[in-house]
Amino acid sequence: MRKTNPVRSGLLLLVIGGAVGYGIGLGIDLLISGNLNLAGSVPSAFALLLSVTAFFFGLYGYRGITRGLVWQVVGTLLGAFFITGIRALTGSSNIFGSFFFSEPAWVFGALVGVVSFIFGVGAVDDWMKWARGIDTPEHHEDEPGWEKYFYVSLDHKVIGVQYTVTALFLIVVGGSFALIFRTELAASQLQFLTTTFRLFNQTGPQFYNTLMSLHGIMMIISILLGVSGIMNYVVPMIIGAQDMAFPRLNAFAYWVAVPASVLFLMSLVLGGFDTGWTGYPPLSARAPVGMQMFFLAVFTAGWSSILGSLNVIATIVRMRAKGMIAMRLPIFVWASIATSIIALTATQLIGLSFQLVMFQRLFGLGFFDASKGGNPVLFQHLFWFYSHPAVYVFVLPGLGVISELLPVFVRKPLYGYRWIAMSSLGIALVGFTVWAHHMFTSGMNEYLRVPFMYSTLLVAVPTGVKFFSWVATIWGGKIETPTPMLFVLGAIFVFLIGGLTGPPNAAIALDLHLHDTYWIVGHFHDTIFGGFVFPFFAAIYYWYPKATGRRMNEFWGKVHFWMMIPSFLVLTFGMMRIGLLGMRRRIVDYDPALGFDTTHLIMTIAAFLIGLSVLIFFINFFRSLKHGEEATGNVWNSRSPEWQVPSPMPVHNYEVPFEVVGEPYDYGLEGSKYVEFASPAEVPHLHPPSPAEVESIK
Amino acid sequence: MIHSQEKSSVLSQGVFIFVYLAVLTALEFLVAISFNSVPLLVVVALIKAALVVYYYMHIYKLSLESEIDEHSYDYKASTNRLGLWLFLVSDSFVFGGLMVMRINLLGLTRPELNQLLGLAVTAVLLISSFFMNRGETLMHQGDRRGFLLNTAITFVLGLGFLLGVVLVEWRLAIHEGMTPDSGPAGAAFFMMTGMHAFHVFTGLILLAIIMANGRRGLYDEQNYPIEAAAVYWHFVDVVWIFFYPALYLIGRLA
Amino acid sequence: MRHFVIVGILVIVMSVLTYLGLDAAELMPVAASAQADPIDWMWNLQVIAMSFLFALIVVPMFYSLIVFRRRKGDTTDAEHIEGNTTLEITWTVIPLFLVLGFAYLGAVNLSDTLRADPNAMVVKVTGIQWSWIFEYPPDPETGLVVVSDELHLLVDRQILLQMTSSDVIHSFWVPEFRVKQDLVPGRITELRITPTMEGDYKVRCAELCGTSHAYMEKPVVVSSQGEFDTWMSEQLEKAKEAAATPEGSGQLLVAANGCAACHSINGASGIGPTWSGLFGHEVELTDGTTVITDEEYLAESIKDPQAKIVAGFETQLMPTYGFTDEQIANIVAYIKTLR
Ligand code: HEA
Ligand code: HEA
Ligand code: CUA
Ligand SMILES: [Cu+2]
């Protein structure tokens, strides 16, 4: 395998692969439809699949992720041709569809593709062995250097990084989509997404809907991956475990997310889908094939989230260090438990609801088809039963990060530890009972509305406990504000605004005005940024030294923050303002008479500034890998165990186990300690081989 | 080493539980065809489920103390036990969702199905559960042949159930005009039985695996995989304990 | 202690300022319906709460950031305070009662917006991709029914909209009226509005419903009895004489079914081919062949839109409508008039 600058050869092959794929697609398209359609879907679909694959081939050679992608491409084509063949044999009327393959062919192909990827990348090798009664070593040692991030590693730290980077990648893609459609929104009337515009068989307005929907869902998936990223990297480390409870399941959970991301991109080229991320039928029952790719992608990514959280719970229950009783858990662990409970259970319902629409499309099962006695509103209940609790999946870890970092930077104990810990569980549990607040205008049974208003408003109470406790923690502290702390404070500020804009939506009559306006869009960008994006950046700046042994550049970190927060506030305040005045969601064009043009223009500029700040973050992130200042010690002077050992973290975390001897956040208490490491003499064996057999059910 | 009468008592317990379940199932059926009281049917289903979950799936094992050494088999086994149960909790939300869908779309009417056939397949699955439990207990007692034999019987019965549903039931329904796209009844029936059948299918694969490895002579000491497969199999049974009345018994004909 | 006093004062000042600022910003559009009053009242209440809570959190936070910031060269930790249960309980219980109060008011507030007037005028509404069809009560004498894509309302007279959709979910929203309600296929949803201010508004579809969701807007006119009656009688007249000629009744059908949502009659490009000068031409189809747009071609294209698709319009498939042959003939007759 060439070691000479892999990135360059990767990019080179990216271009070549894209061109070749495009050519092939064009040829096939020409053969089938007879006319040459340069902006058609088939060429782009092939270009996409081949270029991505080729890139990783150049970067990495034919192994790990490359092998997975190749297998996915082949699997997809085989599966599609299989169905196409069957249709041909059974002499069905339309063997091919408007996107070369027929819809069932695409769906089956995509499914086979995902499974092939899993096998190709090697995420199930060991399980296959166990099934055949063959033992495998408990751990496979990873090769040093960056390569290990591109194949199946069982090390929770590697997997954590893989999750995080994938999440950042999706944020870039989804964010860039946002920038594109924000440019369209900068002024009323259609700028470039006009009715004569054609791309991937979509007119301008259709393409807007696709971009907007993909922006929504890709950002949400990126959050879920980011959440898994932090939890994977941090949780085992701070509870003193060597790894997650089920390392193979952990790897599996990550690797299913990769083909899912590919499916998202495929949905873009296969006609897109114009339903928003909520995919309500009947609209989603009529959308192009892209809809099915979207359903499959979410379904697959959903499994990643389910299995990941299962693993987190098992790890926390079973693998805590000696003496780490419930009330001495690091607060982030409590947040992780609460998050995982939601992700483990509720996620099944979004999978199911999408599955039902898929079957309605494929086999005509009329669940949500009124003309067949189905019920469109039922879908909304199933969907929101997940998708509301999901919003707390986004924020709980973020709020956990806030609570985890605050004491370190104010040098003061976390105020009301128990209350904060319990409030996470409270939010999670109450969060299960509020879903119908998204459906106040949906025409659901009248008597449901008021109870759901009560339950919804109740969530404000535990959330409030967090806020008040944070303020009390900051109060009278000795506050330092390095970059991570800046992002923590920004998170509190932004999430407060987001949170406070929640209760108005819960007040039913008022929501009749607010529903499906940019006010809501503003509400959730604030909650999501405050509850996830800012804490996520804080976490990255904070634990970066732990992972790399270097610090990210402080100056550029501050630039990132001071550029991001004002432009972000401008963006969302603009959203809320025009929303209240009558700006509907999900519209490609707005009535000039409303006079929103200036506001929209400003919002678009703000959006690009956010993008720029993220760009700065990325440059800083990658530059610091080589040039960041050395930081192998306890950079933030924290009490938490992971900082008591040198950075970067050793492969099996702690060579010698530690015991919890005190409270986690006793800053300012003379001579108090949280953890105490056993002297190496007392350690019997570090990690002897033992039958991995036992995991064979997983 | 366990004493012989203990051995037999463990086995006979399995038999008793099976008898209870069989009686309850019969009772359920009679209630349905006679005065069809929904609350009663729900109660019966809950009791049946509880019996299986406690005596066949040994849920209490979750609370057993395990060794502390992180590398001991015992420790890993009980971690895996927790993992498996978490997975089942998650999975049951799928079936819960399907149940909600059925209630929302059909209410107190039921699809037009052959109730006797339903009873037959249910019986088959129930019996398979009994043999599964027997096979597991025998292996714990070191009787490999017994384990293999009973697991094989379980496998055959499971296959019988699968084919009974997919080939006989579905054919019949379609023949009677209740196609998947005919309306809510058809949609609910095919979706629910389909999803369940898929789980039965995966269960069969697990059974095949433990039989193959059992033949290879594994599981003398380290026999958690058997427990895992068994628990999963019983879970599929529990799901059917609720789906069966939901599809065949509750309410009037649509 | 000193700190608490200062912060206390600042919080009050801050919340007042925030509230006044938000109030001055006139966040809501003009209120033009009786339902808007309770809703705006609730909004005002929420703004007060938001302003106060915002100040309550933000002021102490920034105060600490400035006053308690780490001084140069100080490396010691801060004072060791673990928490205070009574305090925690207070800020759990007070918000609890607050939200319960809010919820109660919200319920009352909702019932205000739903108050029904027995002699409300009933208008049947159908949403279609991407237009609105309003069906007015039949005319007492002639029994003729006015069907239009404009909503004309009487000021201070409650109107009961009985709404449904013929394809996907839409949502009826006039920002000045505040209230919003989805139109769901297969069921009838109701919405009560009492306009209180004469003027021209727009109903804007608020639920994403596909390609032209953004343009699913139609005029809403609130007027006095007099103007309303004149408009009504005009419509009735139109309906009468139009019903006489085929192209006339064709035009009515077109209006009633919102064909204009996709087919312009002035040559502008749209979702579907424009109708101006459509008749009697040669057009190219997706399969490369060409056809003459004569009566039977148009008739076929209306009956079975997918039969022949004009090149460039593959992406947006037209739904099939249940027109009778006569109706189709009428529509074609109307299209012929659009030279
Ligand atoms: C990060 C995710 C996140 C979070 C945390 C929240 C938090 C909340 N959300 Fe939000 N919400 C979304 C993400 C989120 N939301 C998204 C994505 C949508 C749109 C989905 C779509 O349609 O696409 C949405 C939509 C949405 C709706 C539907 C609107 C509509 O479409 O008509 C409603 C209605 O009730 C709502 C309410 C709330 C409430 C009450 C909270 C509460 O949890 C907020 C609690 C916090 C506070 C209240 C502030 C701090 C508390 C105090 C200072 C204590 C004192 C407070 C009081 C006494 C009030 N949200
Ligand atoms: C994690 C969640 C998340 C995040 C981070 C964002 C980030 C952004 N969102 Fe989005 N958004 C959603 C979740 C999110 N959004 C959801 C769920 C919806 C609802 C969808 C629906 O209705 O179905 C939505 C909808 C939504 C809308 C409404 C669309 C509509 O209703 O028609 C708008 C409009 O302005 C918008 C804007 C933005 C912008 C400008 C950003 C910016 O903050 C993005 C900035 C980030 C980047 C730009 C990435 C960095 C990019 C690079 C490094 C590339 C190079 C950079 C440059 C070229 C400058 N979002
Ligand atoms: Cu109709 Cu949007
Ligand atoms: Cu919600």
Side-chain angles (χ1 to χ4, degrees), chain A residues 130-133 138 246 306 310 318 344-345 348 352 355 359 363-364 367 372 375 690-691 693-694 696-697, chain B residues 66 71 73 75-76 78-80 87 90 93-94 97 101 104 181 184 191 195 209 213 216 218 222 225 228:
Chain A
W130 298 350
R132 281 186 273 109
E138 190 173 2
F246 311 112
I306 291 171
L310 184 158
R318 299 285 303 163
L344 175 72
T345 54
Q348 295 285 8
L352 180 65
Q355 221 175 337
F359 286 134
F363 311 119
F367 303 107
K372 283 181 182 169
N375 172 7
S690 77
E693 168 71 55
V694 293
S696 63
I697 54 128
Chain B
S66 77
H71 299 288
Y73 184 86
Y75 182 90
K76 286 191 176 331
S78 48
T79 307
N80 288 316
F87 176 80
S90 171
F93 271 69
V94 177
M101 180 268 289
N104 178 289
D181 54 4
M191 190 68 208
M195 181 66 82
I209 291 175
N213 289 339
R216 283 202 193 83
L218 273 62
Q222 313 190 333

Side-chain angles (χ1 to χ4, degrees), chain A residues 220 277-278 384 388 390-392 394-395 427 437-441 456-457 459-461 463-465 467-468 495-496 498-507 511 514-516 520 523-524 527-528 531 585-586, chain C residues 49 53 57 94-96 98-99 102:
Chain A
I220 285 176
W277 77 281
T278 49
W384 287 116
H388 180 82
V391 306
Y392 297 118
F394 306 164
V395 291
I427 293 176
H437 66 214
H438 295 271
M439 302 164 59
F440 286 147
T441 68
T456 302
L457 285 169
V459 185
V461 177
T463 322
V465 170
F467 273 93
F468 295 124
F495 186 62
L496 177 66
L500 287 175
T501 49
N505 314 343
D511 183 59
L514 303 176
H515 177 63
D516 270 341
I520 301 300
H523 157 71
F524 66 72
T527 45
I528 289 177
R585 287 175 72 172
R586 299 167 170 177
Chain C
L53 292 165
I57 302 291
I94 294 177
L96 179 64
L98 256 170
V99 292
F102 269 117

Side-chain angles (χ1 to χ4, degrees), chain A residues 171-176 178-179 181-182 185 208 212-213 215-217 219-220 222-223 275-278 518 521 524-525 528-529 532-533 564 568 571 575 584-588 600 603 607-612 614-615 618:
Chain A
I171 285 193
V172 170
V173 178
S176 308
L179 294 179
F181 69 67
R182 274 270 22 126
L185 288 170
Y208 175 93
M212 175 272 294
S213 316
H215 162 71
I217 194 63
M219 286 302 199
I220 285 176
S222 78
I223 293 187
T275 62
W277 77 281
T278 49
Y518 262 64
V521 178
F524 66 72
H525 279 86
I528 289 177
F529 268 76
F532 175 77
V533 176
M564 190 162 191
F568 174 73
L571 176 71
M575 287 171 169
R584 298 169 285 154
R585 287 175 72 172
R586 299 167 170 177
I587 53 178
V588 59
H600 266 299
M603 284 161 62
F608 273 90
L609 286 175
I610 301 175
L612 204 60
V614 178
L615 207 57
F618 272 104

Side-chain angles (χ1 to χ4, degrees), chain B residues 7 9 13 22 27 65-66 75 84 92 105 114 120 125 142 206 217 221 249:
Chain B
K7 277 191 182 181
S9 75
Q13 186 197 48
L27 180 83
E65 282 299 320
S66 77
Y75 182 90
L84 177 59
S92 51
L105 291 183
N114 179 340
L125 195 60
L206 291 183
E221 293 307 314
L249 302 182

Side-chain angles (χ1 to χ4, degrees), chain A residues 329-578:
Chain A
L329 282 171
I331 199 73
F332 180 78
V333 175
W334 277 108
S336 304
I337 296 174
T339 307
S340 303
I341 292 173
I342 300 174
L344 175 72
T345 54
T347 311
Q348 295 285 8
L349 269 292
I350 193 179
L352 180 65
S353 58
F354 283 178
Q355 221 175 337
L356 295 182
V357 183
M358 281 177 68
F359 286 134
Q360 173 167 341
R361 289 178 63 118
L362 290 174
F363 311 119
L365 281 70
F367 303 107
F368 313 121
D369 180 346
S371 65
K372 283 181 182 169
N375 172 7
V377 179
L378 170 61
F379 173 90
Q380 300 179 23
H381 280 294
L382 294 176
F383 176 84
W384 287 116
F385 183 85
Y386 165 72
S387 294
H388 180 82
V391 306
Y392 297 118
V393 173
F394 306 164
V395 291
L396 285 172
L399 307 187
V401 170
I402 297 178
S403 314
E404 185 73 35
L405 301 202
L406 264 185
V408 181
F409 293 109
V410 301
R411 314 307 304 169
K412 203 164 148 290
L414 184 64
Y415 198 92
Y417 169 94
R418 291 165 178 272
W419 293 79
I420 294 188
M422 288 307 123
S423 68
S424 292
L425 292 180
I427 293 176
L429 297 184
V430 183
F432 269 103
T433 67
V434 307
W435 73 88
H437 66 214
H438 295 271
M439 302 164 59
F440 286 147
T441 68
S442 67
M444 67 179 175
N445 302 3
E446 187 60 41
Y447 60 81
L448 286 177
R449 292 208 240 179
V450 172
F452 275 101
M453 165 171 55
Y454 272 90
S455 56
T456 302
L457 285 169
L458 278 183
V459 185
V461 177
T463 322
V465 170
K466 281 193 194 294
F467 273 93
F468 295 124
S469 308
W470 289 336
V471 172
T473 311
I474 300 175
W475 183 265
K478 293 192 171 174
I479 303 151
E480 307 163 80
T481 51
T483 313
M485 181 60 166
L486 281 180
F487 275 92
V488 166
L489 295 169
I492 297 177
F493 184 78
V494 172
F495 186 62
L496 177 66
I497 299 171
L500 287 175
T501 49
N505 314 343
I508 301 163
L510 188 50
D511 183 59
L512 298 185
H513 179 63
L514 303 176
H515 177 63
D516 270 341
T517 65
Y518 262 64
W519 163 270
I520 301 300
V521 178
H523 157 71
F524 66 72
H525 279 86
D526 270 337
T527 45
I528 289 177
F529 268 76
F532 175 77
V533 176
F534 281 89
F536 185 52
F537 283 129
I540 293 178
Y541 282 104
Y542 180 79
W543 274 295
Y544 189 91
K546 194 78 275 192
T548 62
R550 293 177 182 279
R551 275 180 78 151
M552 284 177 73
N553 181 297
E554 194 64 14
F555 172 76
W556 288 110
K558 287 201 160 69
V559 172
H560 171 202
F561 177 77
W562 288 114
M563 193 159 172
M564 190 162 191
I565 195 145
S567 32
F568 174 73
L569 289 174
V570 169
L571 176 71
T572 49
F573 284 143
M575 287 171 169
M576 296 182 188
R577 169 89 176 135
I578 57 178

